[in-house]
Amino acid sequence: MRQIPESDRDAIRLAQDPKFPRLLEQITATGGCSHPIHLSGSATTVDGSTGEILHHYDTRSEPGERLLVRCRNRRATICPACSRLHAGDTYHLVRAGLLGGKNVPDTVRHRPRLFVTLTAPSFGPVHRSGETCRPRRDGGTCEHGRPLGCGAIHPPDAPAVGQPLCLDCYDYTAHVLWHAHASKLWDRFVIDVRRRLASSVGLVQSRFAQHARLSFARVAEYQKRAAVHVHAVVRLDGPNGPDSNPPAWGTAELLIDAVRASARRVLVHTPYSPAVGELALRWGAQVDARPLRVDGDGPDDDAVAAYVAKYVTKGASETGAGLDHPLTTWADIESAPVSAHVRTLIQACWRLGDLPEYEPLRLRAWAHTLGYRGHILTKSRAYSTTYAALRAERAHHMGRVDLPDAVTERYWRYVGAGHTPGAALIAAGIADDLAQNRETAADEWASREGRSA
């Protein structure tokens, strides 16, 4: 037995427990979650009119007197099972805003809809893939003695791609502060798009909401240079959101013009700092706004939803930007498994976070995300459904529905998280089986669709 790995020994121990079948049921119910939350407590459902107890559940009858629930972590590097569930919810959330469904009318597919990409500005030259990286006929070096150009042709996955030509020339301060204000820059961008749409048709800006409504879902993505850029689905509705059509003047062309103009115009000023000064932060010069059309002349709606869903599950280790966990000391930065470029960005967050004028930005708390404080996915209220509604619909589908006129009293207490080595091995096997079953079902569905076509 001593020669058997610890995880196998623990799995054998669990299998010999009389309550092992129930533990297996719990792990399966979480979808093979890698880091489940352990709860202790009870739930009692009573008839609201008679007081009769309809159902009572207590964890004292469970293995270890605890109930396992999903961690719901979106990162595939931390929990593949929960990240797949989150990706599926994200796909349906974004797709419903494009094509309808989930209480969103199908008419939204005929509205002006754009797929918008906004980038960060340049903070210094970096290595590029594809063609010759940065050719320079005259050669030359920067003030730090490093070449100003690069004549190599880098493959897309080369470690040099996205790294600065000179670490000392790169403006790490501006990069970090731009990240810290990126969400505010997006908010001002949306406000300015509404203003430009109103002024372009002769409306008073305060009356825009009486004629039309701008809805969106956006995802933040780290580029190779570790700078965030934004992909967004933008839709123009009537004043009541998806339930009303936009006015006749609301066209995709007008929306594109407003998006491009606002992306060039909006800016955010950083707080004044004696060490840094005041910076004016803008979007980058590269702005893309493509219409989504029902006739197929444009990006595919399902492909857009799938792209957004795929990205929200990526962890920092997959994007090469930052870390998946906060940092607490300078020593943590020194030992972090990141590139020199990303490490310098984290160090810049740490140093700037010590300045009192930047205290509201909480740069040290967000150093692991390189100063970016926003959510990976955000949406306007009227764009489509919500994650909470999707979870409720899933619970209804699985039969966990509160009875009419019933009152449920719940008492839960957090008692731990994670798996023992043996339980982790079992959970990984269950998660792999479920993923394989989904892939097989998807392939079977695709083949059926192909035969019917």
Side-chain angles (χ1 to χ4, degrees):
M1 287 289 290
R2 293 180 180 178
Q3 296 179 353
I4 300 177
E6 180 185 2
S7 58
D8 292 344
R9 292 202 305 270
D10 189 51
I12 293 173
R13 178 187 64 81
L14 293 173
Q16 293 174 341
D17 191 306
K19 292 187 176 181
F20 176 71
R22 176 54 185 161
L23 175 63
L24 199 60
E25 289 179 0
Q26 284 203 32
I27 296 176
T28 303
T30 66
C33 174
S34 301
H35 199 73
I37 306 301
H38 299 190
L39 299 178
S40 175
S42 62
T44 304
T45 302
V46 300
D47 190 306
S49 57
T50 66
E52 177 188 0
I53 296 178
L54 302 176
H55 178 71
H56 177 73
Y57 169 81
D58 197 305
T59 58
R60 284 180 292 183
S61 62
E62 297 287 4
E65 297 188 359
R66 55 188 61 191
L67 175 68
L68 306 184
V69 297
R70 286 180 177 269
C71 69
R72 292 183 181 175
N73 196 296
R74 68 169 181 83
R75 295 180 177 89
T77 52
I78 296 178
C79 183
C82 289
S83 72
R84 280 192 289 267
L85 189 68
H86 187 76
D89 286 348
T90 301
Y91 172 81
H92 288 292
L93 185 150
V94 176
R95 189 179 187 277
L98 289 170
L99 299 174
K102 310 297 180 184
N103 295 323
V104 179
D106 295 343
T107 52
V108 296
R109 68 182 62 194
H110 302 292
R111 310 273 170 81
R113 303 167 306 151
L114 306 180
F115 187 56
V116 177
T117 300
L118 304 176
T119 60
S122 174
F123 305 108
V126 298
H127 291 278
R128 300 179 296 195
S129 62
E131 301 176 354
T132 304
C133 179
R134 288 189 175 272
R136 288 182 66 93
R137 294 181 180 178
D138 55 351
T141 59
C142 68
E143 59 180 303
H144 305 102
R146 297 184 179 89
L148 292 172
C150 175
I153 300 178
H154 303 297
D157 57 348
V161 175
Q163 304 301 303
L165 272 65
C166 176
L167 291 174
D168 296 314
C169 290
Y170 196 86
D171 194 347
Y172 285 96
T173 297
H175 188 146
V176 166
L177 291 177
W178 192 91
H179 272 180
H181 292 84
S183 295
K184 181 181 290 187
L185 193 61
W186 170 262
D187 291 340
R188 294 194 178 180
F189 164 76
V190 173
I191 292 172
D192 197 73
V193 170
R194 295 191 186 103
R195 289 174 176 172
R196 288 188 173 275
L197 287 173
S199 61
S200 64
V201 295
L203 288 175
V204 177
Q205 295 175 5
S206 60
R207 299 285 183 89
F208 177 79
Q210 300 175 12
H211 297 266
R213 186 166 188 167
L214 196 68
S215 299
F216 66 86
R218 74 167 177 92
V219 62
E221 178 180 4
Y222 285 88
Q223 297 172 295
K224 288 286 190 179
R225 58 185 174 129
V228 164
H229 67 173
V230 171
H231 296 299
V233 177
V234 180
R235 189 185 71 225
L236 189 63
D237 298 319
N240 296 324
D243 295 321
S244 57
N245 290 318
W249 51 260
T251 63
E253 290 72 21
L254 187 69
L255 188 55
I256 290 174
D257 291 341
V259 165
R260 293 186 181 278
S262 296
R264 292 191 299 265
R265 179 180 182 274
V266 297
L267 60 87
V268 172
H269 290 281
T270 64
Y272 174 77
S273 168
V276 178
E278 182 184 77
L279 304 182
L281 307 175
R282 301 176 181 272
W283 294 108
Q286 295 180 340
V287 178
D288 187 26
R290 290 176 287 173
L292 296 166
R293 296 190 173 92
V294 181
D295 57 10
D297 185 15
D300 181 75
D301 295 326
D302 286 327
V304 169
Y307 174 82
V308 173
K310 181 180 179 180
Y311 187 79
V312 296
T313 64
K314 290 185 178 180
S317 60
E318 294 177 280
T319 60
L323 298 165
D324 288 330
H325 56 84
L327 300 163
T328 56
T329 66
W330 182 267
D332 292 340
I333 302 175
E334 295 296 329
S335 61
V338 296
S339 66
H341 175 52
V342 171
R343 193 185 316 280
T344 308
L345 283 167
I346 297 175
Q347 291 170 342
C349 286
W350 202 264
R351 286 194 297 267
L352 293 172
D354 196 38
L355 299 178
E357 55 270 26
Y358 295 140
E359 184 178 356
L361 302 179
R362 303 183 65 232
L363 290 173
R364 287 193 171 183
W366 295 100
H368 63 296
T369 60
L370 314 184
Y372 179 70
R373 301 182 297 151
H375 293 288
I376 291 297
L377 177 75
T378 57
K379 73 175 191 67
S380 60
R381 181 174 299 178
Y383 174 76
S384 68
T385 186
T386 63
Y387 283 119
L390 291 172
R391 287 194 292 267
E393 184 177 343
R394 183 162 53 249
H396 183 276
H397 176 72
M398 297 176 67
R400 296 196 297 267
V401 186
D402 291 336
L403 299 174
D405 300 325
V407 178
T408 302
E409 296 181 352
R410 300 177 177 91
Y411 301 94
W412 298 111
R413 182 169 60 92
Y414 171 83
V415 293
H419 283 302
T420 63
L425 185 65
I426 295 171
I430 290 174
D432 289 342
D433 288 344
L434 292 174
Q436 186 174 357
N437 290 342
R438 278 191 290 267
E439 291 178 3
T440 302
D443 292 341
E444 178 64 22
W445 176 263
S447 64
R448 288 181 180 179
E449 289 292 306
R451 288 195 297 269
S452 63

